[in-house]
Amino acid sequence: MFNIFSLFKKDPDKLLREATAKKKDGDMDGAIESLREAYKTISKTSVNYTIDPFLRLPLYLQQAGKNDEAWSEFNRLLVEGYPNQMKIRELIPMNHSAIYDKMRLFLQRENKPRESVKFGVFAYLSWGLGLHYQERKKELRTHISKSSIVAMLEGLLKKAKMPHLKNELVKIVMLEIKEFPNINLANIGKQIDQIVLR
């Protein structure tokens, strides 16, 4: 059977496995190089991957101490997407949710749990937007219910050691939910920062 990857030097799956092996061996620069090579190979094909392999690069960069580069990579994924990404309205918010969630994790690992709160909220709201576009109405109702929002914020605020801010933040998120699906992440992000960073 014809293998499309035989046209190229390496199979991206093999390169992705190689990156994992190098990371385990502590060769972060080698792991990053293998990931970049895998992405380049993927971009020369029409094979569709999920966002997961592309979220590895910023986290590897963080582990290598290249935080600015890692953060730029997250922003590039949000703005430009990744090779062969299916640019369909129903899936883009799900991808954005995954990116925001890794940004939250990135900040928590950098011991910035307060700054991470808004990205946890962004991930949550983006997921809800995806549910809306996919017309998963029952899941969406549960997702944007007050009890789900409270549970999500409790988790984020526990990490930030700021449980006392729960009611204030629940109020902000519930107000934004009233406008759903016309959510304004920049606006809600500003409001969250004003509360958690004061």
Side-chain angles (χ1 to χ4, degrees), residues 185-196:
L185 293 183
N187 181 45
I188 196 170
K190 229 178 272 176
Q191 290 180 67
I192 291 169
D193 279 348
Q194 281 168 1
I195 292 169
V196 299

Side-chain angles (χ1 to χ4, degrees), residues 72-133:
S72 295
E73 192 60 33
F74 281 130
N75 284 304
R76 194 189 61 71
L77 282 169
L78 283 170
V79 175
E80 298 170 22
Y82 55 89
N84 306 337
Q85 181 182 355
M86 290 192 284
K87 304 273 176 145
I88 50 177
R89 193 175 72 154
E90 291 81 3
L91 291 181
I92 288 173
M94 300 306 203
N95 285 330
H96 284 181
S97 177
I99 297 164
Y100 288 131
D101 195 53
K102 293 298 185 196
M103 292 169 101
R104 171 198 62 78
L105 182 64
F106 175 99
L107 290 166
Q108 286 175 343
R109 285 177 175 167
E110 290 301 308
N111 205 21
K112 295 179 177 178
R114 288 161 37 150
E115 290 87 340
S116 77
V117 171
K118 77 174 171 191
F119 292 98
V121 173
F122 288 176
Y124 190 85
L125 292 174
S126 295
W127 189 263
L129 205 52
L131 292 175
H132 167 76
Y133 288 138

Side-chain angles (χ1 to χ4, degrees), residues 4-195:
I4 182 78
F5 301 119
S6 64
L7 297 173
F8 309 105
K9 273 189 256 174
K10 289 196 175 176
D11 177 336
D13 290 332
K14 191 176 173 194
L15 287 162
L16 292 170
R17 285 193 299 274
E18 198 178 273
T20 304
K22 286 177 180 175
K23 178 183 173 271
K24 279 181 187 162
D25 291 341
D27 177 12
M28 291 312 297
D29 288 337
I32 289 163
E33 198 179 306
S34 292
L35 281 182
R36 291 193 194 278
E37 203 179 324
Y39 301 162
K40 233 181 270 179
T41 307
I42 290 167
S43 71
K44 292 174 183 170
T45 73
S46 57
V47 179
N48 295 114
Y49 280 76
T50 65
I51 193 165
D52 297 338
F54 302 95
L55 285 169
R56 287 168 60 186
L57 180 59
L59 297 177
Y60 281 22
L61 287 165
Q62 182 184 26
Q63 275 188 267
K66 301 175 180 181
N67 287 2
D68 289 346
E69 208 179 324
W71 199 255
S72 295
E73 192 60 33
F74 281 130
N75 284 304
R76 194 189 61 71
L77 282 169
L78 283 170
V79 175
E80 298 170 22
Y82 55 89
N84 306 337
Q85 181 182 355
M86 290 192 284
K87 304 273 176 145
I88 50 177
R89 193 175 72 154
E90 291 81 3
L91 291 181
I92 288 173
M94 300 306 203
N95 285 330
H96 284 181
S97 177
I99 297 164
Y100 288 131
D101 195 53
K102 293 298 185 196
M103 292 169 101
R104 171 198 62 78
L105 182 64
F106 175 99
L107 290 166
Q108 286 175 343
R109 285 177 175 167
E110 290 301 308
N111 205 21
K112 295 179 177 178
R114 288 161 37 150
E115 290 87 340
S116 77
V117 171
K118 77 174 171 191
F119 292 98
V121 173
F122 288 176
Y124 190 85
L125 292 174
S126 295
W127 189 263
L129 205 52
L131 292 175
H132 167 76
Y133 288 138
Q134 292 174 27
E135 296 183 14
R136 292 157 64 181
K137 291 174 185 169
K138 192 177 174 191
E139 285 173 81
L140 177 61
R141 268 196 306 276
T142 303
H143 188 76
I144 62 173
S145 68
K146 186 173 182 178
S147 60
S148 292
I149 289 164
V150 167
M152 174 267 298
L153 284 167
E154 280 175 347
L156 292 169
L157 292 171
K158 187 179 177 186
K159 284 262 188 202
K161 296 183 172 71
M162 304 176 89
H164 59 285
L165 296 179
K166 181 180 78 178
N167 292 337
E168 258 183 290
L169 291 179
V170 166
K171 205 165 142 187
I172 286 172
V173 177
M174 290 303 294
L175 273 173
E176 195 64 36
I177 289 296
K178 282 183 181 169
E179 303 300 316
F180 202 84
N182 302 312
I183 52 177
N184 182 336
L185 293 183
N187 181 45
I188 196 170
K190 229 178 272 176
Q191 290 180 67
I192 291 169
D193 279 348
Q194 281 168 1
I195 292 169

